[in-house]
Amino acid sequence: MPNTYFWRKLHSFLGLFPIGVFLFEHMFVNSLALKGEAAFNRGVAFLQGVPYLWLVELVLIFLPLLFHAFYGIYIVYLTKNNVLSYTYFRNWLFYLQRITALVTLAFVAWHVFVLRLGFSGEISYAAVSQTLSNPVVTALYVIGLFASFSHFANGTWSFFVSWGITIGERAQKTTAYICAILFVFLTVVGLKALNAFV
Amino acid sequence: MSNDKSSSIIKPTSKDVTFIIKRSNGPGFSSYWEEFQIPYYPNMNVVGALMEIQKNPVNGKGEQTTPVTWECNCLEEVCGACTMIINGKARQACSALVDKLTQPIRLAPLTKFPLVKDLVVDRRVMFDNLRKVKAWIKIDGTYDMGPGPKIPPQVQEYTYELSKCMTCGTCAESCPNVNEKSKFIGPAAIAQVDLVNSHPTGALMKEERLEALMGEGGIAECGNAQNCAKACPKGIPLTRSIARVNRQTSVYGIRSWLNR
């Protein structure tokens, strides 16, 4: 039976592979909407034509997400935050990582339910546009995107430390800047794609 | 002064220092805050102020009270015994100079260790953890093993920093992942594994130590808040040690699985 060490490392790994990779793929397909309704619909049709789609979705998306989410809730529970006594920048990011974890979890659960599991009919530009026609929904999406991207960017920084890849202070600082750029990049791409549907 | 009720209260003079101390008679007793006015003297430290209370245990209301219990030993920030929470942060009372502290000065016992009484806690777990990870170098034998191996000066320089650890518990106190819900071993023991694993003779037991850190409550429970390195009074590069041991456990974990 694998021990805590294994589950912790698996949790860290799954955040990047496949969940992080999927996040990029998702933003790519969303961004097809910038090229017009037909381009987005072609992208969706291509994905729906992937052989063994149910298996791909199950193994590369649903199972990793479920494990990352539920083990993550346990990690959030194990923490006793102290940002008011120890006001260091990294401690705040540690705290925000846990806040964004819960926000992202709520957002992704709602998003998957509305546009995937509980969705009847074909997914298309028109259908997404219809969902986003409510400004409250759009606002919640903006919050959800910010939470997901910051959780992913900071989690990537943490991945490099937890696996012992970045050891020195300067290496950790440099990857922190790279992860900040990653956050800005994803946010710009995500919001532009979102805007293409509104 | 008029003969109103407050006349019995000791009036703080400009030369008095106000302390507000979290007190408790021990586990099972409720805790309360008690204020003290202590006559100032130059270069006074928190230990000195606590000694003044011991000499004259009268609280801010002028009432006779029990002297505040605390621990101290070396008085030069190398033993860790007088570690307590001073104005919200864990540090040593001996090196906490009153002139450099915001008043009123608030003292409280460490929260991540079992309370004994007032400002005294039981830091035994810090030492138990060192035992758990075998943070020593085995040199005992039945015959003379000759001189020890040469250690490169770069390694000496690095490990000297790690050897400054006085097991005071400040790192554990500042760590959000060390608490009553988690079993996390905390930063100090991990840095000591880095110290003894860096020694050529110590490295003979490297794998046993890594295995101890890969169990429940081990190194993987670090969440990279990195408070420890900032809070450490000895400036030990705890986060560097954690990342170094992260690498050692990652490589060891993958290699031992592939070899199984």
Side-chain angles (χ1 to χ4, degrees), chain B residues 20-259:
Chain B
I20 302 173
I21 302 174
K22 193 176 188 184
R23 307 198 54 184
S24 168
N25 274 333
F29 290 93
S30 57
S31 60
Y32 58 98
W33 292 88
E34 196 162 40
E35 197 181 307
F36 293 89
Q37 304 291 341
I38 296 151
Y40 173 85
Y41 61 83
N43 303 323
M44 180 185 209
N45 64 359
V46 170
V47 166
L50 289 166
M51 284 173 166
E52 291 298 317
I53 295 174
Q54 204 173 34
K55 277 191 244 170
N56 180 27
V58 174
N59 68 19
K61 291 182 197 146
E63 300 161 349
Q64 194 71 24
T65 182
T66 49
V68 177
T69 310
W70 88 99
E71 268 189 315
C72 69
N73 188 12
C74 73
L75 300 179
E76 54 179 352
E77 204 189 66
V78 293
C79 80
C82 65
T83 308
M84 57 183 72
I85 297 176
I86 301 172
N87 284 348
K89 279 198 178 110
R91 58 183 294 185
Q92 283 70 50
C94 62
S95 54
L97 299 177
V98 166
D99 288 334
K100 290 182 179 171
L101 294 169
T102 321
Q103 289 185 34
I105 298 165
R106 284 173 183 273
L107 306 182
L110 296 176
T111 61
K112 308 280 172 95
F113 303 96
L115 181 73
V116 176
K117 192 181 177 183
D118 290 340
L119 300 171
V120 180
V121 295
D122 183 356
R123 291 179 299 118
R124 182 180 305 172
V125 65
M126 294 291 296
F127 305 96
D128 289 344
N129 285 341
L130 291 177
R131 208 168 290 139
K132 241 185 240 171
V133 299
K134 303 181 201 307
W136 57 80
I137 296 172
K138 241 178 169 169
I139 50 164
D140 292 337
T142 53
Y143 60 93
D144 183 3
M145 308 215 286
K150 289 244 183 323
I151 302 170
Q154 308 92 292
V155 176
Q156 290 177 17
E157 234 169 80
Y158 174 65
T159 53
Y160 177 65
E161 295 303 318
L162 305 178
S163 72
K164 287 180 186 169
C165 180
M166 53 188 179
T167 18
C168 67
T170 302
C171 54
E173 181 66 33
S174 72
C175 177
N177 275 3
V178 173
N179 58 59
E180 68 279 5
K181 291 177 283 184
S182 98
K183 294 197 169 90
F184 183 39
I185 193 163
I190 299 171
Q192 293 310 294
V193 166
D194 188 23
L195 168 65
V196 287
N197 277 3
S198 301
H199 188 283
T201 309
L204 297 174
M205 279 165 68
K206 187 176 172 178
E207 295 184 345
E208 284 172 64
R209 297 192 194 100
L210 296 182
E211 264 169 34
L213 280 180
M214 288 163 84
E216 171 129 56
I219 190 168
E221 289 179 43
C222 166
N224 302 312
Q226 299 202 332
N227 291 349
C228 54
K230 288 239 157 72
C232 176
K234 306 316 283 182
I236 298 171
L238 291 159
T239 50
R240 177 182 282 265
S241 268
I242 292 171
R244 278 164 58 91
V245 180
N246 270 334
R247 183 179 288 179
Q248 291 174 18
T249 55
S250 295
V251 171
Y252 174 71
I254 293 167
R255 189 183 287 159
S256 61
W257 184 76
L258 291 173
N259 287 344

Side-chain angles (χ1 to χ4, degrees), chain A residues 24-100:
Chain A
F24 274 92
E25 184 270 340
H26 197 331
M27 288 309 115
F28 170 75
V29 175
N30 288 10
S31 300
L32 288 175
L34 296 170
K35 300 275 177 195
E37 190 174 335
F40 177 77
N41 287 342
R42 268 199 306 277
V44 172
F46 169 76
L47 284 182
Q48 283 175 342
V50 167
Y52 303 107
L53 183 62
W54 65 273
L55 189 66
V56 173
E57 277 191 327
L58 184 73
V59 175
L60 293 183
I61 304 170
F62 283 116
L63 291 181
L65 266 180
L66 282 175
F67 174 78
H68 193 83
F70 282 99
Y71 198 74
I73 291 173
Y74 175 61
I75 293 176
V76 171
Y77 160 76
L78 282 183
T79 291
K80 199 172 168 187
N81 284 291
N82 56 8
V83 283
L84 297 178
S85 320
Y86 297 91
T87 54
Y88 313 126
F89 177 65
R90 204 26 86 188
N91 198 24
W92 273 102
L93 287 185
F94 173 91
Y95 178 54
L96 280 176
Q97 189 69 358
R98 277 137 188 86
I99 301 287
T100 54

